[in-house]
Coordinates of all heavy atoms in Angstrom, one line a residue:
M167 N -51.1 -42.5 69.5 CA -50.3 -41.6 70.3 C -51.1 -40.8 71.3 O -50.7 -40.7 72.4 CB -49.5 -40.8 69.3 CG -48.5 -39.8 70.0 SD -47.6 -38.8 68.8 CE -46.6 -39.9 68.0
G168 N -52.1 -40.1 70.8 CA -53.0 -39.3 71.7 C -52.4 -38.0 72.2 O -53.0 -37.4 73.1
L169 N -51.3 -37.6 71.7 CA -50.7 -36.3 72.2 C -51.5 -35.1 71.7 O -52.1 -35.1 70.7 CB -49.2 -36.2 71.7 CG -48.2 -37.2 72.3 CD1 -46.9 -37.0 71.6 CD2 -48.1 -37.1 73.8
R170 N -51.4 -34.1 72.5 CA -52.0 -32.8 72.1 C -50.8 -31.9 71.8 O -50.0 -31.5 72.6 CB -52.8 -32.2 73.3 CG -54.0 -33.2 73.6 CD -54.5 -32.9 75.0 NE -53.5 -33.2 76.0 CZ -53.7 -33.1 77.3 NH1 -54.8 -32.8 77.8 NH2 -52.7 -33.4 78.1
V171 N -50.7 -31.5 70.5 CA -49.6 -30.8 70.0 C -49.9 -29.4 69.5 O -50.9 -29.3 68.7 CB -49.0 -31.7 68.8 CG1 -47.7 -31.0 68.2 CG2 -48.6 -33.1 69.3
F172 N -49.2 -28.4 69.9 CA -49.4 -27.1 69.5 C -48.1 -26.7 68.7 O -47.0 -26.9 69.1 CB -49.5 -26.1 70.7 CG -50.7 -26.3 71.5 CD1 -51.1 -27.5 72.1 CD2 -51.6 -25.2 71.6 CE1 -52.3 -27.6 72.8 CE2 -52.8 -25.3 72.3 CZ -53.1 -26.5 72.9
I173 N -48.3 -26.1 67.5 CA -47.2 -25.7 66.6 C -47.4 -24.3 66.1 O -48.4 -24.0 65.4 CB -47.1 -26.6 65.4 CG1 -47.0 -28.1 65.9 CG2 -45.8 -26.3 64.6 CD1 -47.1 -29.1 64.8
T174 N -46.5 -23.4 66.4 CA -46.5 -22.1 65.8 C -45.9 -22.2 64.3 O -45.1 -23.0 64.1 CB -45.8 -21.0 66.6 OG1 -44.4 -21.4 66.6 CG2 -46.3 -20.9 68.0
A175 N -46.4 -21.4 63.4 CA -46.0 -21.4 62.0 C -46.1 -22.8 61.5 O -45.3 -23.4 60.8 CB -44.6 -20.9 61.8
G176 N -47.3 -23.4 61.8 CA -47.5 -24.9 61.5 C -48.3 -25.2 60.2 O -48.6 -26.3 60.0
A177 N -48.6 -24.2 59.4 CA -49.4 -24.5 58.2 C -48.6 -24.6 56.9 O -49.2 -24.9 55.9 CB -50.5 -23.4 58.1
G178 N -47.4 -24.3 57.0 CA -46.5 -24.3 55.8 C -45.1 -24.8 56.1 O -44.7 -24.8 57.2
G179 N -44.4 -25.2 55.1 CA -43.0 -25.6 55.2 C -42.8 -26.7 56.2 O -43.6 -27.6 56.3
I180 N -41.7 -26.6 57.0 CA -41.4 -27.6 58.0 C -42.4 -27.8 59.0 O -42.7 -28.8 59.5 CB -40.0 -27.3 58.6 CG1 -39.5 -28.6 59.4 CG2 -40.0 -26.1 59.4 CD1 -39.0 -29.7 58.6
G181 N -43.1 -26.6 59.4 CA -44.2 -26.7 60.4 C -45.3 -27.6 59.9 O -45.9 -28.4 60.7
R182 N -45.7 -27.5 58.7 CA -46.7 -28.3 58.1 C -46.4 -29.8 58.1 O -47.2 -30.6 58.4 CB -47.1 -27.9 56.7 CG -48.2 -28.6 56.1 CD -48.5 -28.1 54.7 NE -49.7 -28.7 54.2 CZ -50.8 -28.1 53.8 NH1 -50.7 -26.8 53.8 NH2 -51.9 -28.7 53.4
V183 N -45.1 -30.1 57.8 CA -44.6 -31.5 57.8 C -44.7 -32.0 59.2 O -45.1 -33.1 59.4 CB -43.2 -31.6 57.2 CG1 -42.7 -33.0 57.4 CG2 -43.2 -31.2 55.7
I184 N -44.2 -31.2 60.2 CA -44.3 -31.6 61.6 C -45.8 -31.9 62.0 O -46.1 -32.9 62.6 CB -43.7 -30.6 62.5 CG1 -42.2 -30.5 62.2 CG2 -43.9 -30.9 64.0 CD1 -41.5 -29.3 62.9
A185 N -46.7 -31.0 61.6 CA -48.1 -31.2 62.0 C -48.7 -32.4 61.3 O -49.4 -33.2 62.0 CB -48.9 -29.9 61.5
Q186 N -48.4 -32.6 60.0 CA -48.9 -33.8 59.4 C -48.4 -35.1 60.0 O -49.1 -36.1 60.1 CB -48.6 -33.7 57.9 CG -49.3 -32.6 57.1 CD -48.8 -32.4 55.7 OE1 -47.6 -32.6 55.4 NE2 -49.7 -32.0 54.8
T187 N -47.1 -35.1 60.3 CA -46.5 -36.3 60.9 C -47.1 -36.6 62.3 O -47.5 -37.8 62.5 CB -44.9 -36.1 61.1 OG1 -44.4 -35.8 59.8 CG2 -44.3 -37.3 61.7
Y188 N -47.3 -35.6 63.1 CA -48.0 -35.9 64.4 C -49.4 -36.3 64.2 O -49.9 -37.3 64.8 CB -48.0 -34.6 65.3 CG -46.8 -34.6 66.2 CD1 -45.7 -33.7 65.9 CD2 -46.6 -35.3 67.3 CE1 -44.6 -33.6 66.7 CE2 -45.5 -35.2 68.2 CZ -44.5 -34.4 67.9 OH -43.4 -34.3 68.7
A189 N -50.1 -35.7 63.3 CA -51.5 -36.1 63.0 C -51.6 -37.5 62.5 O -52.5 -38.2 62.8 CB -52.2 -35.1 62.0
A190 N -50.7 -37.9 61.6 CA -50.7 -39.3 61.1 C -50.4 -40.3 62.1 O -50.9 -41.4 62.0 CB -49.6 -39.4 60.0
E191 N -49.8 -39.9 63.2 CA -49.6 -40.8 64.4 C -50.7 -40.7 65.4 O -50.5 -41.4 66.5 CB -48.2 -40.5 65.0 CG -47.0 -40.8 64.1 CD -46.9 -42.3 63.8 OE1 -47.2 -43.1 64.6 OE2 -46.6 -42.6 62.6
G192 N -51.7 -40.0 65.1 CA -52.9 -40.0 66.0 C -52.9 -38.8 67.0 O -53.8 -38.8 67.9
A193 N -52.0 -37.8 66.9 CA -52.0 -36.7 67.8 C -53.2 -35.7 67.4 O -53.6 -35.7 66.2 CB -50.7 -36.0 67.7
Q194 N -53.6 -34.9 68.3 CA -54.5 -33.8 68.1 C -53.6 -32.6 67.9 O -52.8 -32.3 68.7 CB -55.4 -33.6 69.3 CG -56.3 -34.8 69.6 CD -57.2 -34.5 70.8 OE1 -58.1 -33.7 70.7 NE2 -56.8 -35.1 71.9
V195 N -53.7 -32.0 66.7 CA -52.7 -31.0 66.3 C -53.5 -29.6 66.2 O -54.5 -29.5 65.5 CB -52.0 -31.3 65.0 CG1 -51.0 -30.2 64.7 CG2 -51.3 -32.7 65.1
H196 N -52.9 -28.6 66.9 CA -53.5 -27.3 66.9 C -52.3 -26.3 66.5 O -51.3 -26.2 67.1 CB -53.9 -26.9 68.3 CG -54.6 -25.6 68.6 ND1 -55.8 -25.3 68.1 CD2 -54.2 -24.5 69.2 CE1 -56.1 -24.1 68.4 NE2 -55.1 -23.6 69.1
V197 N -52.5 -25.7 65.3 CA -51.4 -24.8 64.7 C -51.9 -23.4 64.6 O -53.1 -23.1 64.5 CB -50.9 -25.4 63.4 CG1 -50.4 -26.8 63.5 CG2 -51.9 -25.2 62.3
C198 N -50.9 -22.5 64.5 CA -51.2 -21.1 64.1 C -50.2 -20.8 63.0 O -49.1 -21.4 62.9 CB -51.1 -20.2 65.3 SG -49.5 -19.9 65.9
D199 N -50.6 -19.9 62.2 CA -49.8 -19.4 61.1 C -50.3 -18.1 60.6 O -51.5 -17.8 60.8 CB -49.8 -20.4 59.9 CG -48.6 -20.3 59.0 OD1 -48.4 -19.3 58.3 OD2 -47.8 -21.3 59.0
Q200 N -49.5 -17.2 60.0 CA -50.0 -16.0 59.5 C -50.5 -16.1 58.1 O -51.1 -15.1 57.6 CB -49.0 -14.9 59.7 CG -47.7 -15.1 58.8 CD -46.7 -14.0 59.1 OE1 -46.9 -13.0 59.9 NE2 -45.6 -14.0 58.4
D201 N -50.4 -17.2 57.5 CA -50.8 -17.4 56.1 C -52.2 -18.1 56.1 O -52.3 -19.3 56.2 CB -49.8 -18.3 55.4 CG -50.1 -18.5 53.9 OD1 -51.2 -18.3 53.5 OD2 -49.2 -19.0 53.2
Q202 N -53.2 -17.3 55.9 CA -54.6 -17.8 55.9 C -54.8 -18.8 54.8 O -55.6 -19.8 55.1 CB -55.6 -16.6 55.7 CG -57.0 -17.0 55.8 CD -57.4 -17.6 57.2 OE1 -57.1 -16.9 58.2 NE2 -58.0 -18.7 57.2
A203 N -54.3 -18.7 53.6 CA -54.5 -19.7 52.6 C -53.9 -21.0 53.0 O -54.5 -22.1 52.7 CB -53.8 -19.2 51.3
A204 N -52.7 -21.0 53.6 CA -52.1 -22.3 54.1 C -53.0 -22.9 55.2 O -53.1 -24.1 55.2 CB -50.7 -22.0 54.6
I205 N -53.5 -22.1 56.1 CA -54.4 -22.7 57.1 C -55.6 -23.3 56.4 O -56.1 -24.4 56.8 CB -54.8 -21.6 58.1 CG1 -53.6 -21.2 59.0 CG2 -56.0 -22.0 59.0 CD1 -53.8 -20.0 59.8
G206 N -56.2 -22.6 55.4 CA -57.4 -23.2 54.7 C -57.1 -24.5 54.0 O -58.0 -25.3 53.8
A207 N -55.8 -24.8 53.7 CA -55.4 -26.0 53.0 C -55.1 -27.1 53.9 O -54.8 -28.2 53.5 CB -54.3 -25.7 52.1
L208 N -55.1 -26.9 55.3 CA -54.8 -28.0 56.2 C -55.8 -29.1 56.1 O -57.0 -28.9 55.9 CB -54.8 -27.4 57.6 CG -53.6 -26.5 58.0 CD1 -53.8 -25.9 59.3 CD2 -52.3 -27.2 57.9
Q209 N -55.3 -30.3 56.3 CA -56.2 -31.5 56.2 C -55.9 -32.4 57.4 O -55.1 -32.0 58.3 CB -56.0 -32.3 54.9 CG -56.3 -31.4 53.7 CD -55.9 -32.2 52.4 OE1 -55.4 -33.3 52.4 NE2 -56.2 -31.6 51.3
D210 N -56.4 -33.6 57.3 CA -56.1 -34.6 58.3 C -56.6 -34.2 59.8 O -55.9 -34.6 60.7 CB -54.7 -35.0 58.3 CG -54.2 -35.5 57.0 OD1 -55.0 -36.2 56.3 OD2 -53.1 -35.2 56.6
G211 N -57.6 -33.4 59.9 CA -58.0 -33.0 61.2 C -57.1 -32.0 61.9 O -57.3 -31.8 63.1
I212 N -56.2 -31.4 61.3 CA -55.3 -30.4 61.9 C -56.1 -29.1 62.0 O -56.6 -28.6 61.1 CB -54.0 -30.2 61.1 CG1 -53.3 -31.5 61.0 CG2 -53.2 -29.1 61.7 CD1 -52.1 -31.4 60.0
N213 N -56.2 -28.6 63.3 CA -56.9 -27.4 63.5 C -56.0 -26.2 63.4 O -54.9 -26.2 64.0 CB -57.5 -27.4 65.0 CG -58.2 -26.2 65.3 OD1 -57.6 -25.1 65.6 ND2 -59.5 -26.3 65.4
G214 N -56.3 -25.2 62.6 CA -55.5 -24.1 62.4 C -56.2 -22.7 62.6 O -57.3 -22.6 62.3
T215 N -55.4 -21.7 63.0 CA -55.9 -20.4 63.2 C -54.9 -19.4 62.7 O -53.7 -19.6 62.9 CB -56.1 -20.1 64.8 OG1 -56.9 -21.1 65.3 CG2 -56.7 -18.8 65.0
C216 N -55.4 -18.3 62.1 CA -54.5 -17.3 61.5 C -54.1 -16.4 62.7 O -55.0 -15.8 63.3 CB -55.2 -16.5 60.5 SG -54.1 -15.4 59.6
V217 N -52.8 -16.4 63.0 CA -52.3 -15.6 64.1 C -50.9 -15.0 63.7 O -50.1 -15.7 63.2 CB -52.1 -16.5 65.4 CG1 -51.4 -15.7 66.5 CG2 -53.4 -17.0 65.9
D218 N -50.7 -13.8 64.0 CA -49.4 -13.1 63.9 C -48.7 -13.3 65.3 O -49.1 -12.7 66.3 CB -49.6 -11.6 63.6 CG -48.2 -10.9 63.5 OD1 -47.2 -11.5 63.9 OD2 -48.3 -9.7 63.2
V219 N -47.7 -14.1 65.3 CA -47.0 -14.5 66.6 C -46.4 -13.3 67.3 O -46.0 -13.4 68.4 CB -46.1 -15.7 66.5 CG1 -46.8 -16.9 66.1 CG2 -44.9 -15.3 65.6
T220 N -46.2 -12.2 66.6 CA -45.7 -11.0 67.2 C -46.7 -10.2 68.0 O -46.4 -9.3 68.7 CB -45.0 -10.0 66.2 OG1 -46.0 -9.5 65.3 CG2 -43.9 -10.7 65.4
D221 N -48.0 -10.6 67.8 CA -49.1 -10.0 68.6 C -49.4 -10.9 69.8 O -50.0 -12.0 69.7 CB -50.3 -10.0 67.7 CG -51.6 -9.4 68.3 OD1 -51.6 -9.3 69.6 OD2 -52.5 -9.0 67.6
E222 N -48.8 -10.5 70.9 CA -48.9 -11.3 72.1 C -50.3 -11.7 72.6 O -50.6 -12.8 73.0 CB -48.2 -10.6 73.3 CG -48.0 -11.4 74.5 CD -47.2 -10.7 75.6 OE1 -46.4 -9.9 75.3 OE2 -47.4 -11.1 76.8
A223 N -51.2 -10.7 72.4 CA -52.6 -11.0 72.8 C -53.2 -12.1 71.9 O -54.0 -13.0 72.4 CB -53.5 -9.7 72.8
A224 N -53.0 -12.0 70.6 CA -53.5 -12.9 69.6 C -52.9 -14.3 69.9 O -53.6 -15.3 69.8 CB -53.3 -12.5 68.2
L225 N -51.6 -14.3 70.1 CA -51.0 -15.6 70.4 C -51.5 -16.3 71.7 O -51.8 -17.5 71.7 CB -49.5 -15.4 70.5 CG -48.6 -16.7 70.6 CD1 -48.8 -17.5 69.4 CD2 -47.1 -16.3 70.8
D226 N -51.7 -15.4 72.7 CA -52.3 -16.0 74.0 C -53.7 -16.5 73.7 O -54.1 -17.5 74.3 CB -52.3 -14.9 75.0 CG -52.7 -15.4 76.4 OD1 -52.1 -16.4 76.9 OD2 -53.7 -14.9 76.9
A227 N -54.5 -15.8 72.9 CA -55.9 -16.2 72.6 C -55.9 -17.5 71.9 O -56.7 -18.4 72.2 CB -56.6 -15.1 71.8
W228 N -54.9 -17.7 71.0 CA -54.8 -19.0 70.2 C -54.4 -20.1 71.2 O -55.0 -21.2 71.2 CB -53.7 -18.9 69.1 CG -53.3 -20.2 68.6 CD1 -54.0 -20.9 67.7 CD2 -52.1 -20.9 68.8 NE1 -53.3 -22.1 67.4 CE2 -52.1 -22.1 68.1 CE3 -51.0 -20.6 69.7 CZ2 -51.1 -23.0 68.1 CZ3 -50.0 -21.6 69.7 CH2 -50.0 -22.7 68.9
L229 N -53.5 -19.9 72.1 CA -53.1 -20.8 73.0 C -54.2 -21.2 74.0 O -54.5 -22.4 74.2 CB -51.9 -20.3 73.8 CG -51.3 -21.3 74.9 CD1 -50.8 -22.6 74.3 CD2 -50.2 -20.6 75.7
Q230 N -54.9 -20.2 74.5 CA -56.0 -20.5 75.4 C -57.2 -21.3 74.7 O -57.8 -22.2 75.3 CB -56.6 -19.2 76.0 CG -55.6 -18.5 76.9 CD -55.1 -19.4 78.1 OE1 -55.8 -20.1 78.7 NE2 -53.8 -19.3 78.4
A231 N -57.5 -20.9 73.5 CA -58.5 -21.6 72.7 C -58.1 -23.1 72.5 O -58.9 -24.0 72.7 CB -58.8 -21.0 71.4
G232 N -56.8 -23.3 72.2 CA -56.4 -24.7 72.0 C -56.4 -25.5 73.3 O -56.8 -26.7 73.3
L233 N -56.0 -24.9 74.4 CA -56.1 -25.6 75.7 C -57.5 -25.9 76.1 O -57.7 -27.0 76.6 CB -55.4 -24.7 76.8 CG -53.9 -24.5 76.7 CD1 -53.5 -23.4 77.7 CD2 -53.2 -25.8 76.9
A234 N -58.4 -25.0 75.8 CA -59.8 -25.3 76.1 C -60.4 -26.4 75.2 O -61.1 -27.3 75.7 CB -60.7 -24.0 76.0
R235 N -60.0 -26.4 74.0 CA -60.5 -27.4 73.0 C -59.9 -28.8 73.2 O -60.6 -29.7 73.2 CB -60.1 -26.9 71.6 CG -60.6 -27.8 70.5 CD -60.3 -27.2 69.1 NE -60.4 -28.2 68.1 CZ -59.4 -29.0 67.6 NH1 -58.1 -28.8 68.1 NH2 -59.5 -29.9 66.7
L236 N -58.6 -28.8 73.5 CA -57.9 -30.1 73.7 C -57.7 -30.5 75.1 O -57.4 -31.7 75.4 CB -56.6 -30.1 73.0 CG -56.5 -29.7 71.5 CD1 -55.1 -29.7 71.0 CD2 -57.4 -30.7 70.7
G237 N -58.0 -29.7 76.1 CA -57.9 -30.0 77.5 C -56.5 -30.1 78.0 O -56.2 -30.7 79.0
G238 N -55.5 -29.5 77.3 CA -54.1 -29.4 77.7 C -53.2 -29.5 76.6 O -53.6 -29.5 75.4
C239 N -51.9 -29.5 76.9 CA -50.9 -29.5 75.9 C -49.8 -30.4 76.3 O -49.3 -30.3 77.4 CB -50.3 -28.1 75.7 SG -48.9 -28.0 74.5
D240 N -49.4 -31.4 75.4 CA -48.3 -32.3 75.7 C -47.0 -31.9 75.0 O -45.9 -32.2 75.5 CB -48.7 -33.7 75.3 CG -49.9 -34.2 76.0 OD1 -49.9 -34.3 77.2 OD2 -50.9 -34.6 75.3
V241 N -47.1 -31.3 73.8 CA -46.0 -30.9 73.0 C -46.2 -29.5 72.5 O -47.3 -29.2 71.9 CB -45.8 -31.9 71.9 CG1 -44.6 -31.4 71.0 CG2 -45.6 -33.3 72.3
L242 N -45.2 -28.6 72.7 CA -45.3 -27.3 72.1 C -44.1 -27.1 71.2 O -42.9 -27.2 71.7 CB -45.3 -26.2 73.2 CG -45.1 -24.8 72.7 CD1 -46.3 -24.3 71.8 CD2 -45.0 -23.8 73.9
I243 N -44.3 -26.8 69.9 CA -43.2 -26.6 69.0 C -43.2 -25.2 68.5 O -44.2 -24.8 67.8 CB -43.3 -27.6 67.8 CG1 -43.2 -29.0 68.3 CG2 -42.2 -27.3 66.8 CD1 -43.5 -30.1 67.3
N244 N -42.3 -24.4 69.0 CA -42.2 -23.0 68.6 C -41.4 -22.9 67.3 O -40.2 -22.6 67.3 CB -41.5 -22.2 69.7 CG -41.6 -20.7 69.4 OD1 -42.4 -20.2 68.6 ND2 -40.7 -19.9 70.1
N245 N -42.1 -23.1 66.2 CA -41.5 -23.2 64.9 C -41.4 -21.8 64.3 O -40.6 -21.6 63.3 CB -42.3 -24.1 64.0 CG -41.7 -24.3 62.6 OD1 -40.6 -24.7 62.5 ND2 -42.5 -24.0 61.6
A246 N -42.1 -20.8 64.8 CA -42.1 -19.5 64.2 C -40.8 -18.8 64.5 O -40.2 -19.0 65.6 CB -43.2 -18.6 64.7

């Protein structure tokens, strides 16, 4: 697939299932979540960062880091 996927609240619940599904299909997945333990449990090459999405500066930093790391974004899922 090769998509670059960004998911807010992507380390647990439905967000985690979405992230795992994209990763299983070959996507590069970049998630944020406020649950540090859930981020630490991510597998399958899913990149995660602890971010409170109500903090605009932190959310922007997460987005910019992902864009720099992956070279762009093909899919954005605002799960938060």
Side-chain angles (χ1 to χ4, degrees):
M167 180 182 293
L169 294 174
R170 298 162 296 183
V171 179
F172 290 63
I173 307 170
T174 62
I180 190 76
R182 184 182 188 122
V183 172
I184 294 168
Q186 290 170 329
T187 301
Y188 270 104
E191 292 296 323
Q194 297 177 74
V195 181
H196 183 70
V197 306
C198 71
D199 202 293
Q200 64 182 2
D201 184 343
Q202 184 63 51
I205 289 170
L208 290 171
Q209 299 176 357
D210 303 322
I212 299 170
N213 180 286
T215 305
C216 189
V217 175
D218 176 353
V219 297
T220 65
D221 180 341
E222 189 175 331
L225 187 61
D226 186 57
W228 167 75
L229 181 60
Q230 294 304 320
L233 291 171
R235 181 176 164 267
L236 302 179
C239 176
D240 299 303
V241 178
L242 172 62
I243 299 171
N244 187 17
N245 184 56

